[in-house]
């Protein structure tokens, strides 16, 4: 297995504050990784360093084996990027947006046209190639961004909150595309606030808070560590929760109590672990 992404003791300092603080982790080639954290945790800054938009203040950052500071061009050649803001040009057609990106990456004809057709078909926009982008729905624009990010055949794809603002159907459609790309061997790093998205898509999950990685593992590793069962106690507006190693143990504890008003037991999920770790609800 080769290492696709490597961060070693990375700091990013703004105004004397480490917004990314001694961050170290690595992803193997082919992994589907979800980076979570409350707002301000440092996720976007981490992605911006990985995609060469900002330089690390300290430490080593390598993407596809290339240093992000010394080998920017090689890094860019190996990555596809879909950032939060929809960055496609509304006044150009679907095809023109793809064409422009292809030229920027020096992809020559006839390969350029072949790849544009291939990726537009892949994201089901083949029949919209002559449409102006401003006439597309939000879901279509997002799929166009993905097709464009894939045009130069990158090995690693960065998706920063790719399904924000999409309706459930479009979100599912995007999940299928993301899963399929990962199935074809692409390494994918995704940030999102949707827990079910991470549970559905990701092999491994990293949780950041205050610039640090505070937890990392598969969902089942995290559930084993924090507890598979959860007791929820509601008193007025306040909700407390308590983890138990298993659902059975949580149920046994509940059964042993005399007063059970406002209490229930269920299986723990990623959001419970997130709240336990960061002390914050997702927004
Ligand atoms: P997240 O993506 O997890 O919400 P960010 O990486 O966007 O977090 O931000 C982490 C912290 O860094 C925040 O406190 C933010 O205000 C700060 N920050 C991000 N970019 C800059 C910048 N260019 N200049 C100063 N502070 C910044």
């Amino acid at each position: 297995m080769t290492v696709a992404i490597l961060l070693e003791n990375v700091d990013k300092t703004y105004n004397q504050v480490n917004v990314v603080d001694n961050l170290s982790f690595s992803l193997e080639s082919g992994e589907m990784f979800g980076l979570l954290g409350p707002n301000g945790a440092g996720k976007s800054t981490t992605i911006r360093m990985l995609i060469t938009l900002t330089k690390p203040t300290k430490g080593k950052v390598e993407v596809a084996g290339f240093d992000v500071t010394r080998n920017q061009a090689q890094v860019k050649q190996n990555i596809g990027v879909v950032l939060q803001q929809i960055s496609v040009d509304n006044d150009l057609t679907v095809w023109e947006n793809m064409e422009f990106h292809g030229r920027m990456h020096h992809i020559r004809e006839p390969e350029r046209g072949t790849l544009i057709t291939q990726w537009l078909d892949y994201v089901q926009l083949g029949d919209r190639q002559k449409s102006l982008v401003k006439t597309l729905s939000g879901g279509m624009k997002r799929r166009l961004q993905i097709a464009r990010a894939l045009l130069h055949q990158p090995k690693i794809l960065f998706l920063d909150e790719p399904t924000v603002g999409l309706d459930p159907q479009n979100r599912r459609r995007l999940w299928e595309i993301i899963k399929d790309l990962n199935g074809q061997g692409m390494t994918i790093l995704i940030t999102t606030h949707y827990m079910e998205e991470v549970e559905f898509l990701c092999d491994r999950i990293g949780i950041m808070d205050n610039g640090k990685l505070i937890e990392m593992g598969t969902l089942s590793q995290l559930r084993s560590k924090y507890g598979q069962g959860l007791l929820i106690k509601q008193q007025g507006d306040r909700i407390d929760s308590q983890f138990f190693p298993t659902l059975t143990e949580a149920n046994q504890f509940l059964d042993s109590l005399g007063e059970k008003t406002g209490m229930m037991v269920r299986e723990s999920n990623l959001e419970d672990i997130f709240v336990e770790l960061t002390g914050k609800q997702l927004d």
Side-chain angles (χ1 to χ4, degrees):
M1 273 285 179
T2 51
V3 175
I5 289 175
L6 174 78
L7 295 104
E8 263 178 23
N9 308 110
V10 176
D11 286 354
K12 178 70 189 182
T13 313
Y14 287 124
N15 310 320
Q16 281 101 47
V17 176
N18 282 352
V19 301
V20 170
D21 191 4
N22 199 26
L23 185 65
S24 300
F25 70 88
S26 64
L27 302 190
E28 306 257 308
S29 177
E31 266 198 84
M32 171 87 219
F33 181 73
L35 189 59
L36 303 179
N39 287 332
K43 306 177 298 291
S44 299
T45 306
T46 302
I47 290 199
R48 287 170 61 79
M49 289 191 282
L50 288 164
I51 65 177
T52 78
L53 284 183
T54 190
K55 290 194 169 83
T57 310
K58 186 180 142 272
K60 180 156 110 178
V61 183
E62 285 181 3
V63 174
F66 297 104
D67 185 279
V68 293
T69 310
R70 288 196 296 274
N71 308 110
Q72 279 198 22
Q74 287 94 329
V75 170
K76 283 186 192 156
Q77 199 52 42
N78 279 284
I79 61 171
V81 177
V82 177
L83 293 179
Q84 263 175 58
Q85 326 81 296
I86 299 218
S87 57
V88 280
D89 192 327
N90 275 311
D91 294 320
L92 297 180
T93 65
V94 166
W95 184 276
E96 285 164 349
N97 265 280
M98 295 291 282
E99 173 90 14
F100 183 72
H101 184 85
R103 284 172 189 259
M104 295 282 286
H105 277 273
H106 309 291
I107 307 169
R108 290 178 200 286
E109 289 291 17
E111 192 194 4
R112 188 168 68 230
T114 310
L115 285 170
I116 293 175
T117 305
Q118 175 194 317
W119 286 117
L120 286 181
D121 285 345
Y122 180 72
V123 299
Q124 297 170 304
L125 286 176
D127 57 344
R128 299 301 298 263
Q129 41 180 273
K130 294 198 177 103
S131 304
L132 284 177
V133 168
K134 61 181 156 204
T135 66
L136 302 184
S137 70
M140 288 174 179
K141 283 186 191 174
R142 198 61 87 182
R143 297 207 301 279
L144 173 58
Q145 270 187 298
I146 291 183
R148 195 184 55 174
L150 295 169
L151 190 61
H152 58 285
Q153 298 173 292
K155 295 198 188 87
I156 304 167
L157 187 60
F158 292 90
L159 301 168
D160 193 12
E161 300 195 30
T163 62
V164 161
L166 299 188
D167 61 36
Q169 287 90 333
N170 274 300
R171 178 171 297 160
R172 292 265 159 188
R173 213 148 155 203
L174 220 57
W175 287 4
E176 283 162 20
I177 291 173
I178 294 168
K179 257 230 186 294
D180 186 63
L181 287 168
N182 181 241
Q184 293 175 36
M186 186 164 297
T187 310
I188 302 181
L189 188 154
I190 182 170
T191 71
T192 175
H193 283 296
Y194 300 114
M195 293 294 108
E196 73 281 15
E197 189 156 292
V198 182
E199 290 175 337
F200 181 75
L201 289 173
C202 298
D203 306 323
R204 274 204 304 163
I205 301 153
I207 300 179
M208 279 186 86
D209 199 12
N210 294 320
K212 292 181 185 295
L213 192 69
I214 55 171
E215 195 50 276
M216 178 138 163
T218 64
L219 179 60
S220 78
Q221 283 168 346
L222 297 182
R223 289 191 63 232
S224 298
K225 180 169 172 184
Y226 291 92
Q228 316 262 0
L230 194 78
L231 171 71
I232 298 171
K233 298 175 232 177
Q234 184 163 12
Q235 278 178 320
D237 287 343
R238 195 182 154 79
I239 297 176
D240 286 323
S241 54
Q242 188 180 348
F243 284 90
F244 287 83
T246 61
L247 192 61
T248 311
E249 281 163 88
N251 272 314
Q252 281 167 351
F253 180 80
L254 182 61
D255 289 342
S256 73
L257 297 176
E259 175 57 54
K260 300 187 179 65
T261 314
M263 295 196 195
M264 65 166 279
V265 162
R266 62 163 169 75
E267 294 205 341
S268 66
N269 59 35
L270 185 57
E271 179 146 356
D272 302 322
I273 296 167
F274 184 93
V275 172
E276 172 80 6
L277 279 171
T278 64
K280 292 165 197 142
Q281 295 281 351
L282 286 164
D283 50 20

